[in-house]
Amino acid sequence: MTAQISLDRLTGLIAFARAASLGNYTSAARSLGVSPSAISKSVQRLEAQLGLRLFARTTRSLTLTSEGRDLHEKTLRLLRQAEEIEQTATAARSEPSGTLRITAPLPIGVHILSPAIPKFRALYPKLSIDLRLADQHIDLIEEGIDVAVRVGELADSRLISRKLGWHRIAAFASSDYLSRRGIPLHPDDLPRHDCLTFRYQSSGQMLRWPFKVGTKIIEIVPHHAVVADASDAVAAMAVAGGGICMSPTYVAATFVKAGLLTPVLAEFAVDLFPITALWPESRRSNPNVKAIVAFLQEVFPTPAPWDVVMANG
């Protein structure tokens, strides 16, 4: 006899699995593109249908009950099998089509990926793009992401990776600021300057400014005049003459090219972390993933155009 499951119950299982993995209805709703109330109602219906209490709820988070933990494990296995079926069907196609879900940090998404996506869609018009930009690292498999662009060395045996380029950061200031306050010639000069620094949204930690001094790399957290949690905000303040900032070169390059920012302490700049493309093992043969990974390697050439601007700046 063929097993049957209602569409409503399957929807409830998906909502439950995502809420359990992410810890709250809001994050689950965002990842599935629905409202938090829709997630909540789906989970409540599922609990009523099963006659089980799956979550111990608080005002801020969800904690799985013992029955919920057992169902979560089984539901994840079911969804992984469904994912394998989808990927097998997708791999049978030769032409990229459907929805391609990409995640990246906000600055990379805004300054590098977004300007390149129209060209990519011109190559593959049957593809639609779902671009998700955030500082927080999400679980690609849990959230159904096809490809992630990440900064840093990341180890996950479930993922395939390919290095795209370097996340190079350097110090910048406006010519107006430098004419008023002087040009720093060594990182030791920074305490005499107004420093505009960046704070990570995900951890609340201040960016440590790296410099290569001789054969060593030193990291400092300068006394700051202003701190902000967005790279573009820090760069904008530097353009306005607010002080010296430490910025990714792909953020600052446009301002340098326009004469609005000048690199400082350039001889001490460091290639801090690799920029890497990551995708789940289950998507190894996915034509959409193959297409975007090949395209990303064109978007991140060597040398990168934003670093060429720095060299000429």
Side-chain angles (χ1 to χ4, degrees), residues 147-192:
V147 174
V149 176
R150 292 285 183 236
V151 174
E153 299 284 0
L154 303 166
D156 189 325
S157 60
R158 304 171 301 167
L159 303 177
I160 302 171
S161 66
R162 182 166 298 169
K163 180 183 169 185
L164 298 173
W166 284 100
H167 177 73
R168 185 176 176 85
I169 65 175
F172 301 90
S174 70
S175 57
D176 172 66
Y177 173 86
L178 295 174
S179 66
R180 287 186 287 110
R181 300 291 298 275
I183 300 174
L185 301 178
H186 191 278
D188 290 344
D189 296 336
L190 289 174
R192 295 188 289 276

Side-chain angles (χ1 to χ4, degrees), residues 107-123:
I108 289 178
V110 170
H111 293 276
I112 301 177
L113 298 186
S114 294
I117 282 175
K119 180 180 177 182
F120 180 68
R121 284 214 64 249
L123 294 173

Side-chain angles (χ1 to χ4, degrees), residues 101-114 117 130-138 140 145-151 164 250 275-278 296 300:
R101 291 171 289 273
I102 309 170
T103 184
L106 181 64
I108 289 178
V110 170
H111 293 276
I112 301 177
L113 298 186
S114 294
I117 282 175
D130 181 348
L131 181 60
R132 305 180 186 189
L133 306 179
D135 279 344
Q136 291 80 8
H137 284 191
I138 61 176
L140 273 61
I145 299 297
D146 295 300
V147 174
V149 176
R150 292 285 183 236
V151 174
L164 298 173
Y250 50 79
I275 299 175
T276 306
L278 301 162
L296 286 173
F300 289 85

Side-chain angles (χ1 to χ4, degrees), residues 84-255:
E84 290 172 5
I85 293 171
E86 179 185 1
Q87 293 305 315
T88 298
T90 302
R93 303 194 309 261
S94 59
E95 183 180 5
S97 63
T99 300
L100 176 65
R101 291 171 289 273
I102 309 170
T103 184
L106 181 64
I108 289 178
V110 170
H111 293 276
I112 301 177
L113 298 186
S114 294
I117 282 175
K119 180 180 177 182
F120 180 68
R121 284 214 64 249
L123 294 173
Y124 304 104
K126 292 184 179 180
L127 269 178
S128 62
I129 309 298
D130 181 348
L131 181 60
R132 305 180 186 189
L133 306 179
D135 279 344
Q136 291 80 8
H137 284 191
I138 61 176
D139 188 306
L140 273 61
I141 295 173
E142 290 287 335
E143 299 216 15
I145 299 297
D146 295 300
V147 174
V149 176
R150 292 285 183 236
V151 174
E153 299 284 0
L154 303 166
D156 189 325
S157 60
R158 304 171 301 167
L159 303 177
I160 302 171
S161 66
R162 182 166 298 169
K163 180 183 169 185
L164 298 173
W166 284 100
H167 177 73
R168 185 176 176 85
I169 65 175
F172 301 90
S174 70
S175 57
D176 172 66
Y177 173 86
L178 295 174
S179 66
R180 287 186 287 110
R181 300 291 298 275
I183 300 174
L185 301 178
H186 191 278
D188 290 344
D189 296 336
L190 289 174
R192 295 188 289 276
H193 286 270
D194 293 334
C195 294
L196 314 169
T197 197
F198 170 78
R199 180 177 58 232
Y200 292 98
Q201 294 180 5
S202 55
S203 66
Q205 297 295 312
M206 298 290 185
L207 172 68
R208 301 181 69 85
W209 291 25
F211 297 100
K212 187 173 183 178
V213 180
T215 59
K216 296 181 179 180
I217 294 178
I218 64 169
E219 292 184 338
I220 64 174
V221 179
H223 177 72
H224 54 269
V226 183
V227 61
D229 61 2
S231 298
D232 285 81
V234 173
M237 286 186 280
V239 168
I244 298 173
C245 75
M246 181 66 73
S247 173
T249 54
Y250 50 79
V251 173
T254 300
F255 300 118

